[in-house]
Amino acid sequence: MGRTRRSGAVGLPLLLLALLCCCHVLVTATAAMVGPAATGLYREEEEEETEEEFGGGRGERRRRREEEMAGGDDDRYLLQDSKQVIQTEAGVMSVVRNFAGWRTVERPLHIGFITMEPKSLFVPQYLDSGLLIFVRRGEAKIGMIYKDELAERKLKIGDIYWIPSGSAFYLVNTGEGQRLHILCAIDPAESLGFSSTFQSFFIGGGSYPTSVLAGFDPDTLATAFNVTMGDLRELMSRQQEGPIVFVGDSRAPERRTVWSEFLQLKHQDRLHHLKRMVDSRKLVEEEETSSSAGLTNFSWRKILYSLFGRQENNNENRKSRGWTTGKSPDSYNIYDKKADFSNAYGWSIALDHNDYAPLKHSGIGVFLVNLTAGSMMAPHVNPTATEYGIVLRGTGTVEIVYPNGTQAMNAKIAEGDVFWVPRYFPFCQIASRTGPLEFFGFTTSAHKNRPQFLVGQSSVLQTMKGPELAAAFGVTDERIRAIIEAQRESVILPSAAASPPDEGRKRRKAEKVVESLGKEMVMGFE
């Protein structure tokens, strides 16, 4: 008995000590495990808090999302976040921004609208974003540095031109007495993130806009340009009319502007004026090398003299420098291409990099669609790209469908509206019965898109029809064929009112077949 009691008395403290040791080991191991994962744990908790702020937790957020997907009245696919980024007497530029927070946006693009008055200039600049422009109305001249040469191209209605990010360019409205209207896709893939749209780096400027050169020390610039401080102050302070200015127009100030004089320079002078201002470090190196070697290199004083009205004989200098005219890819006119598809109810054109090589570098495709009154672009899916559309004229409707078979949007559209459709989402466009609907747009892939149509003679249902498809819908093979084959057209379809008499009779017969199916067909997922 006594031995047993003594053994039990000793065993209890040992048991407690063992438990304490186990707890210590467990706490240490837990700390060791939590330590490396602390950042991830913090981020997860932070994400949960963020989600709670915008929707009351993950469950609540999921519930709201499902309600939105089932509602069908959401207009989130109409881009309405328009921001005016430039406004002067000579022109305006506004940008419709995409909401990049959506997970379905695999490559968000912004859509820009540029309007320039007659005889106006969009001053030389370069962007942190790629720019694909489309001339909607008017005529223009664009100058761009391409492979160290100045390439100038005349643009007309329907022309498309690609400006890579970082490439210095300028744009002139050359139309006599008419405004220039340009649509553009802005690709922020290489954006610095300084702005929610894009960032311009103006090469020339004064008080407005400010030139990027203004940030350098005046002594550095004077050395780089090889001019006096007085010449430098005159160059860097004259411009105050904004990024879009008049050049030689009666509404412009009577005094000659820097940019009107810039446009009067010879082609080669404009080239060097742009090339050497882009990289000021290169300017300094060139001037220092010339000075040390005792060479008579090209001097910026000659351009400044030209800008300020002082003339020099440049013919001999031009020969000695061996200047050549820059060569860049030409523009491409979308109206010159034969329609990829056309029938009595409309036509469509799509451009990829095989049609216009610069699109390969831009990674952006282009399309143009014209629907007659009451017709529709058949429900289809873009398997390779997100689509951005701009209504050029007319009115109509855009319908977009979620992956679960519920309606995402059914919205009216009119001239000037911008809509976007995520990759893989089924959608269709329908022209109103009051007139045709024409829309132009960009896609996030420069490869051939090959849309998959869900209805019509060229649809995937037509290609897959058979017992397997009938079984998938839960109907007989005869019934599924009757429905699929009722539509004789493909890609662009007529409405009931636009159908010819015989086709209308066939359509009414098909509608009776559809009505008889009742609940046998399942069109979506629970």
Side-chain angles (χ1 to χ4, degrees), residues 77 102 104 380-382 400-403 408 421-427:
Y77 298 103
W102 262 86
T104 50
H380 61 287
V381 174
N382 285 330
I400 304 175
V401 177
Y402 282 120
V421 185
R423 182 180 180 183
Y424 307 124
F425 279 39
F427 68 105

Side-chain angles (χ1 to χ4, degrees), residues 182-448:
I182 287 179
L183 305 177
C184 52
I186 303 169
D187 180 12
E190 300 180 25
S191 174
L192 296 174
F194 291 160
S195 170
S196 57
T197 51
F198 64 94
Q199 182 64 54
S200 294
F201 295 80
F202 292 102
I203 296 175
S207 58
Y208 177 55
T210 302
S211 168
V212 292
L213 294 173
F216 289 96
D217 186 274
D219 290 333
T220 301
L221 285 184
T223 301
F225 281 117
N226 190 25
V227 297
T228 66
M229 293 296 290
D231 287 335
L232 182 65
R233 281 193 295 270
E234 188 175 4
L235 176 67
M236 302 299 292
S237 62
R238 290 181 62 181
Q239 170 61 8
Q240 55 185 359
E241 298 168 19
I244 303 178
V245 299
F246 287 110
V247 283
D249 189 88
S250 58
R251 288 169 294 181
E254 292 184 0
R255 66 178 178 81
R256 297 177 67 191
T257 66
V258 171
W259 296 118
S260 62
E261 293 165 351
F262 168 80
L263 292 178
Q264 293 174 10
L265 295 177
K266 297 295 184 181
H267 175 95
Q268 294 85 349
D269 289 329
R270 290 198 300 274
L271 164 65
H272 283 260
H273 187 64
L274 291 177
K275 278 177 59 179
R276 302 194 178 191
M277 290 183 79
V278 170
D279 192 345
S280 294
R281 290 175 300 179
K282 187 175 181 180
L283 291 177
V284 177
E285 292 173 359
E286 289 180 352
E287 294 295 339
E288 289 177 349
T289 302
S290 300
S291 300
S292 61
L295 301 177
T296 57
N297 194 11
F298 175 79
S299 171
W300 273 98
R301 186 183 300 275
K302 296 174 182 177
I303 275 193
L304 294 177
Y305 286 165
S306 298
L307 285 172
F308 300 142
R310 284 170 268 180
Q311 302 296 322
E312 281 193 0
N313 185 359
N314 290 322
N315 291 331
E316 188 169 342
N317 290 332
R318 187 176 298 114
K319 291 179 181 179
S320 64
R321 288 189 294 273
W323 282 352
T324 59
T325 301
K327 180 66 177 176
S328 73
D330 289 328
S331 59
Y332 187 99
N333 194 282
I334 195 170
Y335 294 114
D336 290 341
K337 184 183 179 184
K338 183 179 178 181
D340 297 287
F341 178 85
S342 178
N343 63 11
Y345 311 108
W347 50 264
S348 66
I349 297 174
L351 300 183
D352 56 45
H353 67 87
N354 293 314
D355 303 303
Y356 184 45
L359 294 181
K360 182 176 182 180
H361 303 288
S362 73
I364 301 175
V366 178
F367 66 88
L368 178 65
V369 177
N370 185 291
L371 305 177
T372 61
S375 63
M376 74 160 66
M377 178 68 74
H380 61 287
V381 174
N382 285 330
T384 60
T386 294
E387 178 175 309
Y388 296 79
I390 306 105
V391 181
L392 300 183
R393 65 187 178 103
T395 59
T397 304
V398 173
E399 294 189 31
I400 304 175
V401 177
Y402 282 120
N404 66 354
T406 59
Q407 190 174 79
M409 186 181 78
N410 185 349
K412 302 293 184 182
I413 53 175
E415 183 175 338
D417 284 343
V418 180
F419 61 90
W420 69 285
V421 185
R423 182 180 180 183
Y424 307 124
F425 279 39
F427 68 105
C428 69
Q429 300 98 337
I430 307 169
S432 66
R433 296 185 181 181
T434 59
L437 173 66
E438 184 175 8
F439 53 93
F440 170 87
F442 306 97
T443 62
T444 57
S445 173
H447 297 284
K448 195 172 183 64

Side-chain angles (χ1 to χ4, degrees), residues 134-145:
F134 168 71
V135 180
R136 172 58 177 154
R137 293 190 183 94
E139 297 178 353
K141 178 177 71 174
I142 188 167
M144 184 181 74
I145 298 297

Side-chain angles (χ1 to χ4, degrees), residues 16-30:
L16 292 175
L17 181 61
L19 288 174
L20 288 174
C21 292
C22 290
C23 290
H24 176 72
V25 172
L26 181 60
V27 170
T28 304
T30 302

